Amino acid sequence: MTVGPLVLVIEDELQIRRFLRTALTTASFRMIEAATGNDGIALAARQQPDLVVLDLGLPDIDGEHVVARIREWSAVPIIVLSARIQESDKVSALDAGADDYLTKPFGVKELLARLRVALRHATSTSSAGPGLFTVGDLRIDIVHRRVHAGEREVHLTPKEFKLVATLVAHAGKVLTHRQLLKAVWGPAHVEESHYLRIYMAQLRHKLERDPTRPRYFLTEAGVGYRLVYESPTPSSTQDAPAGDAATET
Ligand code: CA
């Protein structure tokens, strides 16, 4: 039997650590845990986990600091947990190098989906991602710069394409406004959030069946945007496709 990925949970609330232990071990992950940021950093260095789940509300040091410390020596995927009141902390943690976030309370399915995406990004090579990306009826050929929505070929402007390509390279993960602006417009424009609003509206208009209810280019309120990685279910997103959890590790 293969050994599951090792997840380090840094979280001061015992109840949440217990919840995570049940969820993770059931899904064949192994879990180690720390209740403070400093213990978590030490454990990350010692055990070299495959993934870190980090609570932002820790008793000793703030989560952004923990992310920055771990990033000094490691590219391990970090998923932050935040309460709703920690909106700005969440964005700081993502900008500091965290890979994704979950807002408390969250469900097991949501947790496992985030972990799978983070692990997939970690195991794929560090190059620009897949040459061909498909989700639902959307087909994006990065190499030949061709985009199809269903049967229809869609022309994108160079900036629009760059935005799409950036999202494709991180498909399934949230990207903050700053990260997207930096990647597409350059470091001098990281505050120009209105660029993103305009371009994202254009993209949705061109690529979404109903631009007012996007299925692929999702808004993460107050944080940024996420390109859906697994094909969305037609109506509700609450039901994961059957066998979903078993197909990929
Ligand atoms: Ca906490």
Side-chain angles (χ1 to χ4, degrees):
M1 200 184 139
T2 54
V3 180
L6 181 65
V7 180
L8 165 61
V9 171
I10 307 173
E11 162 68 85
D12 58 320
E13 282 172 74
L14 179 60
Q15 219 182 329
I16 295 181
R17 293 206 305 272
R18 282 187 181 148
F19 165 77
L20 287 170
R21 181 169 290 284
T22 305
L24 292 174
T25 51
T26 303
S28 304
F29 289 91
R30 292 170 298 143
M31 176 177 146
I32 49 177
E33 57 190 81
T36 66
N38 282 314
D39 286 352
I41 293 166
L43 207 51
R46 217 165 44 230
Q47 302 274 347
Q48 305 279 319
D50 300 302
L51 207 140
V52 174
V53 175
L54 167 69
D55 179 40
L56 289 183
L58 292 170
D60 54 344
I61 47 178
D62 61 57
E64 182 189 345
H65 191 69
V66 177
V67 172
R69 286 286 306 281
I70 292 175
R71 278 288 168 269
E72 286 171 5
W73 79 85
S74 171
V76 61
I78 301 173
I79 294 176
V80 296
L81 305 179
S82 71
R84 280 186 204 289
I85 47 164
Q86 293 163 325
E87 195 81 357
S88 61
D89 298 1
K90 182 163 74 185
V91 177
S92 309
L94 290 166
D95 283 333
D99 293 80
D100 214 327
Y101 72 94
L102 281 164
T103 303
K104 295 177 183 175
F106 53 84
V108 173
K109 269 180 193 169
E110 197 184 359
L111 167 75
L112 296 178
R114 289 281 191 281
L115 298 194
R116 281 201 308 273
V117 167
L119 284 172
R120 184 177 60 87
H121 278 284
T123 51
S124 67
T125 57
S126 57
S127 68
L132 185 67
F133 175 82
T134 58
V135 64
D137 66 350
L138 203 60
R139 200 166 87 245
I140 299 162
D141 184 339
I142 296 292
V143 178
H144 302 100
R145 305 177 76 91
R146 294 178 74 173
V147 178
H148 284 82
E151 298 295 297
R152 187 167 51 91
E153 178 159 8
V154 181
H155 175 76
L156 299 183
T157 67
K159 273 281 183 290
E160 288 170 352
F161 187 81
K162 199 164 179 186
L163 181 54
V164 167
T166 304
L167 288 161
V168 165
H170 303 273
K173 285 172 39 172
V174 68
L175 286 170
T176 65
H177 297 128
R178 287 182 77 90
Q179 288 168 336
L180 283 167
L181 287 162
K182 190 176 174 191
V184 178
W185 283 274
H189 299 281
V190 293
E191 304 294 337
E192 319 273 358
S193 296
H194 61 281
Y195 288 6
L196 273 179
R197 277 198 300 277
I198 294 164
Y199 275 79
M200 204 56 73
Q202 287 169 197
L203 279 184
R204 284 170 175 160
H205 186 75
K206 290 182 175 183
L207 299 175
E208 297 275 2
R209 225 173 278 173
D210 180 357
T212 62
R213 289 192 305 165
R215 300 194 306 154
Y216 306 128
F217 298 91
L218 305 186
T219 298
E220 299 279 334
V223 178
Y225 295 93
R226 183 191 304 273
L227 173 61
V228 167
Y229 159 61
E230 283 160 338
S231 196
T233 46
S235 53
S236 163
T237 54
Q238 294 308 304
D239 307 303
D244 187 27
T247 50
E248 208 182 334
T249 42

